[in-house]
Amino acid sequence: MEKNVTKEEILEFTRAKGADVCGIADLTAAADFVRATYGGSFAEYPRAVSFALFFPKEVVNEQLKGPTRNYETIYLMLNREIERISTAVAIKLQRAGFRAYPLDATDYRPTAHPEKLHYAVAAADEAGEKLPKLGFEIIDVFSHRLAAAHAGLGWIGKSCCLVNPEVGPRLRLGTVLTDAPFEPDAPIENRCGSCRSCIDACPAHALHGRAFDEKDPLSARIDVQKCYDFFDKVEAVYGIGICGLCLGSCPFGK
Ligand code: SF4
Ligand code: SF4
């Protein structure tokens, strides 16, 4: 099959499907980090089509006054839009002869590696046994933020969010990993400077205020368990576990 889609065509297609911004990430320099953090199969992809849908900023900023159900409604709607766009982009790349893997908008990987899990489940079933349900770690199956930062959509701020110059962290990200050898876009510099707005706004004191460095583990920047536990505490009194104060407090794009 002739491999026949250009970078310009795939980015135009991604925008036409609804992305507000998009770019091409070179993931080759991050391959060791990806392999160690997310597994070898993801490290096989040298490029990613990264895109963002902007969150209506007033809905995010409203969180600073108190949680709203509208925040969750739009958050979930944007996730479904991202998966629709990612799937369309992946199929277009596949039709053009490339490997392409669309990532879930939000997904978490199991603590145990699920390799050959289909056969293990079938064998246990035939033996009249039942395997225990796998637990899930609170780490994304792959970092959309890493791909977006490499694609120049923004920088990874002290909030651990991708900060875009136009809307700050008020966005949702999508990623399609691929082996299509597109010319990558250039990352942009981190502009957090001495700002501490997200750290001071975090009610769970989960953010450590450390700039992103691929050599550091995620735990150097954020106590994810504290953040997730806080969602549960908000849910216990509000019915929905949401926060987003680190997004609403960022001065970029406010
Ligand atoms: S979502 Fe809330 S609890 Fe979690 S890091 Fe952001 S401000 Fe802190
Ligand atoms: S609030 Fe300030 S420190 Fe936090 S991500 Fe935004 S610019 Fe960076």
Side-chain angles (χ1 to χ4, degrees):
M1 180 191 296
E2 188 186 350
K3 298 190 171 181
N4 60 356
V5 68
T6 65
K7 170 182 174 178
E8 289 68 30
E9 286 168 342
I10 204 71
L11 293 183
E12 182 53 39
F13 180 82
T14 307
R15 279 190 289 269
K17 288 290 175 190
D20 287 301
V21 284
C22 54
I24 301 297
D26 179 356
L27 296 178
T28 51
D32 288 345
F33 172 80
V34 171
R35 188 174 294 105
T37 310
Y38 306 110
S41 61
F42 294 122
E44 293 171 7
Y45 294 97
R47 296 285 185 274
V49 179
S50 172
F51 64 92
L53 299 186
F54 291 167
F55 220 118
K57 63 171 73 173
E58 297 307 333
V59 175
V60 179
N61 296 344
E62 198 179 14
Q63 296 299 296
L64 296 170
K65 290 186 257 171
T68 69
R69 287 165 191 270
N70 199 24
Y71 178 82
E72 187 194 53
T73 301
I74 291 175
Y75 182 99
L76 295 175
M77 188 276 293
L78 289 176
N79 280 359
R80 297 295 79 79
E81 279 294 290
I82 283 166
E83 282 149 4
R84 179 184 63 78
I85 296 168
S86 295
T87 304
V89 170
I91 294 296
K92 186 169 179 66
L93 287 165
Q94 183 174 293
R95 283 196 183 129
F98 297 108
R99 291 181 68 202
Y101 185 89
L103 291 160
D104 265 348
T106 305
D107 195 9
Y108 301 97
R109 66 179 184 180
T111 47
H113 199 288
E115 200 174 326
K116 308 284 185 196
L117 185 63
H118 298 108
Y119 295 104
V121 169
D125 186 54
E126 284 167 19
E129 297 165 0
K130 208 171 177 186
L131 294 176
K133 191 167 172 51
L134 293 179
F136 282 80
E137 287 180 355
I138 44 179
I139 182 168
D140 284 347
V141 75
F142 187 90
S143 171
H144 292 285
R145 298 162 194 188
L146 180 76
H150 278 270
L153 269 53
W155 65 95
I156 298 178
K158 294 176 195 169
S159 60
C160 298
C161 299
L162 194 283
V163 185
N164 171 269
E166 190 178 342
V167 294
R170 299 164 194 82
L171 48 75
R172 299 288 302 151
L173 294 168
T175 310
V176 179
L177 302 172
T178 184
D179 64 359
F182 299 136
E183 181 68 23
D185 290 297
I188 61 175
E189 62 170 6
N190 189 313
R191 300 181 196 166
C192 282
S194 59
C195 177
R196 287 184 48 90
S197 293
C198 53
I199 300 146
D200 294 340
C202 177
H205 310 294
L207 299 170
H208 303 326
R210 196 175 166 105
F212 177 77
D213 185 331
E214 280 175 20
K215 293 192 282 304
D216 291 337
L218 183 64
S219 58
R221 299 183 294 280
I222 181 172
D223 187 331
V224 183
Q225 191 65 56
K226 269 190 183 173
C227 173
Y228 274 62
D229 286 350
F230 184 70
F231 283 21
D232 291 342
K233 289 169 189 168
V234 172
E235 184 173 13
V237 297
Y238 187 63
I240 302 174
I242 55 172
C243 178
L245 295 183
C246 49
L247 306 189
S249 62
C250 185
F252 279 93
K254 203 166 184 174

